[in-house]
């Protein structure tokens, strides 16, 4: 195993493989399940390696407190939260400053895709629970939440796909794990609406030349298009399942 | 509703290349930096960008390092949007905007390695200097982000910290009469670009902020970018993003020159 006491941690070996054996431009397997929380209007579960996330959408519904309602559109609220057991050392369930910031950036990543003008005086509430964290949790949260929004039947301009780019041992890598985030040089979370070609989340934490950044963005764009296909497939699967259930239900 | 009318008006003006306050699209508002106005702080700076005013103060204390960085000092950034600064600010703990601002500035300071935190270690694993950077908004007329970031940087540049030593018994002794500057390695500069319609404008004032679709804040150090934060509930194309960053890079060079002239660093 890795020796964390020793400062020199090898994140890319001599064969160009990463700690978990992936190539730099290789994503972890992503599993997306739609509609798993019955009470929510829409929900999704995303598993990306050891990052595991539930997302639920409630709404459009009446706004509480009422004075927050807007006369021309729905408000979108988002809560990103990590369960106390999702990380190595127990995290207090109270929202941290990090979670407050991430809730905001996730909301701002999702809102451009939602046709909020159709629901004046209402709210669309997105809840994200990180069950197990192993890097790229905000990106996986966006992937899950955007599928949950679609499955809630909320009109959308596009789905939002997301992935992270890192730089470890001077190499740009796709889909950063926890250890690569901790000991790597750069973390760049990214989200976009693949069909519209609009970036809705872009953060950078680490030093990059602008040319490197350009390369990172094109890497992320390519990966988002792959994730987009998986999101669509997961949504379609759910509706094939539903349709089958309705037809079979009709027979009996 | 008012923002909608305002927005239409502003878009009309922008299409003929005009901003509400008469600036060009890539012009910063006049910058004023006043350092060391707070005697009781180790460092302080009041920064004005046009009518926006923020003050940052640096206080220090001796504390224990984090377990994963036993030989490094601790840097903590906090921001308060006080009701004194704007009719829209309310008293209470920092809201998501203040928290985001503080965290973006914190990342900029940390990732640029402006301060050599290793030199702030007094006794490895036991005692290190803690640097508390507190930013308070005093008058909000847009772009609190860049104003606050500059205030934080200027306050750190002018900070003087007492000397601390370890005696034979292994105790930490602080000599308050002997002060030294912080171990500064570079100056990070933060620039925000706003998008309204299809126009990109630097250093948005409050009127512009209220109608803008999206913001891109970037911190530069030695012409490299070390922090980016996209804000706002709309998206940007890849082309727009890169254009924003190139503009921000240019403006960062310009602002860096001003900072060096005023503070006399480097």
């Amino acid at each position: 195993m890795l020796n964390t006491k020793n400062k020199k941690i090898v994140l890319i070996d001599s064969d160009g493989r990463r700690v978990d054996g992936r190539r730099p431009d290789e994503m972890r397997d992503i599993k997306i399940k739609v509609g798993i929380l019955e009470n929510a209007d829409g929900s999704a579960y995303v598993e990306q390696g050891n990052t595991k996330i539930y997302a639920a959408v409630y709404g459009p519904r009446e706004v509480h407190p009422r004075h927050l309602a807007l006369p021309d559109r729905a408000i979108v609220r988002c809560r990103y939260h990590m369960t106390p057991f999702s990380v190595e050392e127990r995290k207090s369930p109270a929202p941290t400053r990090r979670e407050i910031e991430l809730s905001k950036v996730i909301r701002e990543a999702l809102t451009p895709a939602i046709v909020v003008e159709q629901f004046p005086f209402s709210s669309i509430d997105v809840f994200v629970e990180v069950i197990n964290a192993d890097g790229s949790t905000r990106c996986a949260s966006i992937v899950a939440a955007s599928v949950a929004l679609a499955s809630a039947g909320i009109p959308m301009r596009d789905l939002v796909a997301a992935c992270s780019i890192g730089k470890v041992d001077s190499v740009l890598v796709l889909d950063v794990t926890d250890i690569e985030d901790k000991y790597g040089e750069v973390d760049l979370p990214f989200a976009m609406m693949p069909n519209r070609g609009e970036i809705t989340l872009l953060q950078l934490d680490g030093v990059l030349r602008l040319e490197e950044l350009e390369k990172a963005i094109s890497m992320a764009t390519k990966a988002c298009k792959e994730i987009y296909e998986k999101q669509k497939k997961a949504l379609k699967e759910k509706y094939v399942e539903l349709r089958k259930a309705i037809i079979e239900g009709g027979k009996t | 509703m008012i923002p909608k009318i305002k927005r239409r008006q502003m878009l009309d003006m922008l299409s003929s290349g005009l901003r509400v306050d008469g600036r060009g699209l890539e012009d910063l508002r006049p910058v004023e930096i006043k350092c060391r106005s707070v005697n009781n702080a180790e460092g302080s700076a009041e920064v004005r960008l046009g009518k926006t005013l923020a003050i940052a103060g640096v206080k220090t204390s001796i504390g224990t390092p984090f377990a994963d960085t036993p030989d490094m000092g601790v840097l903590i950034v906090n921001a308060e949007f006080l009701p004194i600064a704007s009719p829209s600010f309310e008293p209470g703990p920092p809201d998501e905007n203040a928290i985001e601002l503080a965290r973006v500035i914190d990342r900029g300071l940390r990732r640029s390695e402006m301060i050599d935190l290793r030199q702030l270690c007094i006794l490895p694993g036991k005692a290190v200097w803690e640097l508390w950077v507190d930013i308070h908004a005093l008058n909000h007329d847009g772009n609190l982000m860049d104003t606050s970031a500059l205030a934080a940087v200027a306050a750190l540049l002018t900070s003087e910290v007492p000397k601390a030593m370890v005696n034979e018994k292994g105790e930490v002794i602080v000599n308050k009469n002997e002060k030294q500057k912080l171990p500064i390695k570079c100056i990070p500069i933060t620039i925000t670009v706003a998008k309204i319609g299809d126009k990109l404008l630097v250093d948005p004032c409050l009127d512009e902020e209220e109608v803008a679709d999206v913001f891109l804040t970037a911190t530069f150090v030695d012409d490299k970018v070390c922090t980016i934060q996209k804000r706002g509930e709309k998206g940007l194309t890849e082309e727009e993003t890169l254009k924003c960053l190139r503009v921000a890079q240019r403006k960062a060079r310009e602002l860096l020159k001003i900072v060096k002239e005023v503070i006399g660093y480097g």
Side-chain angles (χ1 to χ4, degrees):
Chain A
M1 265 313 277
L2 289 151
N3 180 5
T4 44
K5 283 243 171 67
N6 186 347
K7 271 269 141 62
K8 247 335 304 117
I9 290 171
V10 179
L11 292 169
I12 302 242
D13 68 12
S14 50
D15 295 335
R17 297 272 175 175
R18 292 152 72 178
V19 178
D20 53 8
R22 282 183 291 155
R23 290 183 308 274
D25 61 347
E26 198 176 331
M27 245 186 299
R28 289 175 286 184
D29 275 336
I30 300 184
K31 208 166 84 190
I32 306 175
K33 274 199 222 161
V34 179
I36 20 112
L37 306 173
E38 285 81 0
N39 277 348
D41 296 308
S43 63
Y45 171 75
V46 165
E47 210 175 282
Q48 185 164 359
N50 284 324
T51 291
K52 296 169 189 179
I53 281 150
Y54 280 97
V57 171
Y58 286 84
R61 60 180 178 182
E62 206 172 316
V63 187
H64 285 287
R66 267 218 173 117
H67 67 89
L68 294 176
L70 296 176
D72 59 341
R73 61 182 191 269
I75 59 165
V76 179
R77 292 185 287 200
C78 175
R79 184 175 192 262
Y80 164 96
H81 184 244
M82 292 178 107
T83 53
F85 44 78
S86 64
V87 278
E88 204 164 296
E89 263 184 54
R90 181 182 182 268
K91 183 207 146 285
S92 153
T96 58
R97 286 162 67 90
R98 177 179 173 275
E99 285 169 302
I100 292 169
E101 185 202 338
L102 292 205
S103 299
K104 178 178 187 283
V105 296
I106 292 171
R107 185 189 76 227
E108 291 176 341
L110 296 169
T111 310
I114 306 170
V115 188
V116 283
E117 301 81 7
Q118 278 197 15
F119 306 101
F121 298 107
S122 8
S123 74
I124 295 167
D125 297 314
V126 179
F127 301 103
V128 175
E129 281 297 326
V130 178
I131 301 305
N132 197 73
D134 186 14
S136 301
T137 57
R138 82 195 72 178
C139 296
S141 301
I142 290 167
V143 170
S146 107
V147 168
L149 280 163
S151 79
I154 291 168
M156 290 171 82
R157 296 184 170 89
D158 199 353
L159 286 170
V160 185
C163 68
S164 62
I165 301 288
K167 188 177 169 189
V168 298
D169 295 349
S170 308
V171 180
L172 288 177
V173 295
L174 176 64
D175 185 11
V176 182
T177 57
D178 188 47
I179 194 143
E180 289 174 327
D181 182 25
K182 267 201 192 103
Y183 299 99
E185 296 134 53
V186 168
D187 182 27
L188 181 145
F190 178 95
M192 73 181 301
M193 293 189 271
N195 208 28
R196 292 172 67 91
E198 279 176 46
I199 299 167
T200 62
L201 171 101
L202 178 64
Q203 293 180 288
L204 170 69
D205 187 13
V207 183
L208 281 182
R209 282 180 287 115
L210 282 192
E211 306 83 76
E212 283 176 298
L213 184 88
E214 212 172 324
K215 206 182 146 206
I217 290 178
S218 67
M219 250 174 106
T221 305
K222 191 169 157 252
C224 279
K225 285 184 177 150
E226 282 172 42
I227 295 166
Y228 188 50
E229 294 308 316
K230 288 182 182 159
Q231 288 175 298
K232 284 196 285 190
K233 197 169 150 243
L235 279 164
K236 278 181 192 157
E237 268 166 15
K238 178 68 189 174
Y239 288 99
V240 168
E241 220 175 86
L242 267 176
R243 187 162 168 262
K244 225 169 110 193
I246 291 166
I247 292 167
E248 274 168 16
K251 272 180 196 159
T252 51
Chain B
M1 288 301 128
I2 294 162
K4 277 195 176 166
I5 300 163
K6 227 184 196 175
R7 187 184 151 86
R8 214 172 304 141
Q9 201 180 6
M10 205 169 284
L11 280 172
D12 282 347
M13 284 176 74
L14 283 171
S15 63
S16 45
L18 279 173
R19 283 174 79 168
V20 273
D21 49 9
R23 276 186 290 162
L25 295 181
E26 293 185 11
D27 289 347
L28 294 168
R29 289 172 289 179
V31 187
E32 249 176 69
I33 307 170
K34 199 171 117 198
C35 296
R36 301 185 185 89
S37 53
V38 183
N39 307 70
N40 286 337
E42 276 79 325
S44 65
E46 279 175 57
V47 169
R48 228 176 228 291
L49 255 181
K51 282 186 247 163
T52 296
L53 176 65
I55 185 165
V58 176
K59 292 296 287 177
T60 51
S61 53
I62 291 174
T64 46
F66 291 115
D68 52 346
T69 52
D71 58 345
M72 281 165 95
V74 174
L75 175 72
I76 301 136
V77 181
N78 184 51
E80 304 274 341
F81 290 178
L82 306 172
I84 194 176
S86 161
S88 64
F89 293 163
E90 280 164 30
D95 68 351
E96 58 171 29
N97 295 310
I99 289 173
E100 182 185 43
L101 177 136
R103 286 179 56 88
V104 170
I105 293 172
D106 178 282
R107 288 201 283 269
L109 298 173
R110 213 172 282 283
R111 287 312 192 136
S112 65
E113 294 180 36
M114 177 189 178
I115 293 162
D116 187 358
L117 291 176
R118 279 179 212 286
Q119 285 193 45
L120 295 179
C121 176
I122 304 164
L123 192 61
K126 292 267 161 44
V128 295
W129 281 112
E130 293 170 327
L131 297 180
W132 300 82
V133 181
D134 282 285
I135 302 160
H136 286 219
L138 291 176
N139 197 62
H140 176 31
D141 187 37
N143 205 4
L144 271 175
M145 181 68 89
D146 299 358
T147 316
S148 307
L150 188 53
V153 166
L156 285 166
L157 283 174
T158 53
S159 287
E160 288 185 341
V161 180
K163 261 201 168 157
M165 284 181 304
V166 184
N167 69 6
E168 314 82 55
K169 287 186 211 150
E171 294 162 340
V172 176
I173 311 260
V174 177
N175 182 357
K176 287 210 165 150
N177 298 320
E178 213 178 326
K179 292 195 171 180
Q180 55 186 9
K181 289 209 154 184
L182 287 172
I184 305 281
K185 286 165 74 180
C186 58
I187 305 179
I189 298 287
T190 304
I191 298 283
T192 296
V193 180
K195 186 189 156 202
I196 304 177
D198 60 349
K199 293 281 189 293
L200 302 177
L201 15 103
V202 172
D203 180 25
C205 66
L206 188 59
D207 281 331
E208 291 167 337
E209 232 174 57
E210 277 171 356
V211 303
D213 300 313
V214 57
F215 305 89
L216 205 72
T217 296
T219 305
F220 288 86
V221 62
D222 298 332
D223 245 15
K224 287 182 212 140
V225 57
C226 63
T227 320
I228 298 177
Q229 184 89 341
K230 175 246 158 198
R231 294 179 284 141
E233 299 189 330
K234 287 273 163 58
L236 282 160
T237 63
E238 185 181 335
E239 203 193 321
E240 285 166 341
T241 307
L242 295 170
K243 201 175 157 201
C244 280
L245 290 169
R246 276 186 218 109
V247 172
Q249 188 184 40
R250 263 203 313 277
K251 300 316 282 185
R253 284 178 206 145
E254 187 185 314
L255 191 52
L256 178 64
K257 235 171 111 188
I258 298 174
V259 173
K260 282 184 174 172
E261 272 166 27
V262 174
I263 301 177
Y265 168 89

